[in-house]
Amino acid sequence: METGIARKEEWPRLRELWQGAFGDGAAFIDDFFVRYGAPDRLLTLREGGRPVSMLALLPMEGVTAEGERFKLPYVYALATDPEARGKGYAGKLLAYAADRARALGAAGICTVPAQPSLHRFFASAGYGECFATRRWEGRPVGEGERGRLVPVGPEEYARIREKLLRGIPHGAWDGEMISIQEGFSGSSGGGLFRLELGDCVGCAALERWPEKMVAKEMLAPARELERAEKLLTGAFPPSDWELRAPAALTEKGALWAFGMADWFDAGPAGAFGEKAYLGLAFD
């Protein structure tokens, strides 16, 4: 058994592991590897020289309420061959990812468990609850709110997002990483949008699911969040909706334990607590 950075010739095997765990199409996975699989981002554990577990370690920053920034890499697409499960390989690969994050000068490492039950698994690997989100159901009520939804690219979305999250402990994605969400949103019939709400601006990442529209995140000044919801739901009638927003901005809906972190530095850990905001998980 050995852990290491995945070699390009191993990508077909990594695709098999990814497909087996998450069911994504080969074209999507191959596109992800080409666009985001920089040499130090795809990690694997090999048994007898053959990859049996994999993950992607994506660049992300944490930002405190005071604006202090630090590296907080994001674990994505952790997948293990079913025949190799029960040997502790996923935990060993997470430990290797944490060692790499430390070597990069990170304050910690984080992830969003794909299923509620996996919170227990990540807790056993040293992760604690960190990121929370509010989510609720919605429907258009009468006429939509006056305003405009303007499609934007990932770089502009990232800039708007950072302004709106100022003063809230959160995970910060740059334009390269938000382009992953752009792909999910665009392919489903949604998109990334700037919300023009009179004298203020919001933003939202939308996906169209078979049974409803989903705002993977909806951001606006707290006093304008209801107005932002009316603008969104009025723009895509007669859809049912799932809306998500930072717990720091609203008491609406249910509090959802969304993401977890393994901290190496007690300072940022204390600044984040359990209700920091992550929002996007590329799920």
Side-chain angles (χ1 to χ4, degrees):
M1 185 273 293
E2 63 171 348
T3 51
I5 296 170
R7 298 184 288 267
K8 195 165 184 178
E9 59 267 26
E10 294 174 323
W11 284 10
R13 172 57 179 160
L14 301 190
R15 183 176 66 189
E16 292 177 8
L17 296 175
W18 186 319
Q19 282 184 302
F22 305 110
D24 294 316
F28 167 79
I29 301 169
D30 289 343
D31 180 66
F32 179 92
F33 286 172
V34 170
R35 296 180 64 184
Y36 309 108
D40 59 345
R41 292 182 184 172
L42 295 175
L43 310 183
T44 190
L45 182 145
R46 305 177 185 94
E47 183 182 60
R50 183 171 183 259
V52 293
S53 189
M54 67 151 292
L55 63 80
L57 189 61
L58 302 180
M60 193 186 88
E61 288 187 309
V63 185
T64 68
E66 294 73 31
E68 177 189 356
R69 304 180 77 93
F70 51 87
K71 292 179 180 179
L72 186 65
Y74 177 68
V75 171
Y76 183 58
L78 174 63
T80 300
D81 188 326
E83 295 185 3
R85 291 175 187 169
K87 299 181 179 181
Y89 285 171
K92 293 180 188 301
L93 187 55
L94 286 173
Y96 175 65
D99 288 342
R100 287 198 57 80
R102 285 190 189 92
L104 294 171
I109 191 170
C110 69
T111 195
V112 173
Q115 301 172 17
S117 62
L118 290 177
H119 281 252
R120 294 191 295 273
F121 164 73
F122 281 99
S124 71
Y127 286 67
E129 299 298 338
C130 179
F131 299 103
T133 295
R134 287 274 176 181
R135 62 176 173 176
W136 65 96
E137 296 178 352
R139 283 189 61 84
V141 180
E143 294 185 5
E145 180 69 32
R146 290 184 179 179
R148 288 207 309 155
L149 267 65
V150 181
V152 296
E155 295 288 349
E156 182 177 353
Y157 189 92
R159 288 193 295 270
I160 297 171
R161 187 178 191 272
E162 285 306 294
K163 289 181 181 179
L164 292 167
L165 290 174
R166 191 172 295 158
I168 300 173
H170 66 278
W173 303 102
D174 63 13
E176 181 197 12
M177 292 295 103
I178 287 182
S179 67
I180 301 174
Q181 180 60 52
E182 180 186 43
F184 280 115
S185 294
S187 63
S188 70
L192 304 178
F193 295 95
R194 181 177 72 248
L195 313 183
E196 296 185 352
L197 303 164
D199 60 352
C200 69
V201 170
C203 67
L206 307 183
E207 293 181 14
R208 187 185 294 275
W209 292 6
E211 71 281 10
K212 60 186 174 182
M213 290 292 298
V214 179
K216 301 301 286 288
E217 70 174 6
M218 177 179 66
L219 303 177
R223 68 183 186 280
E224 299 290 355
L225 204 62
E226 184 174 350
R227 187 177 175 187
E229 177 181 344
K230 289 180 180 179
L231 176 61
L232 290 179
T233 58
F236 293 88
S239 300
D240 289 327
W241 278 81
E242 178 182 315
L243 299 119
R244 306 177 185 178
L249 294 179
T250 182
E251 292 293 320
K252 196 168 184 177
L255 189 64
W256 176 21
F258 187 68
M260 306 179 74
D262 179 8
W263 294 103
F264 319 141
D265 189 326
F272 265 43
E274 292 187 5
K275 293 186 180 179
Y277 179 71
L278 182 60
L280 302 178
F282 316 134
D283 54 327

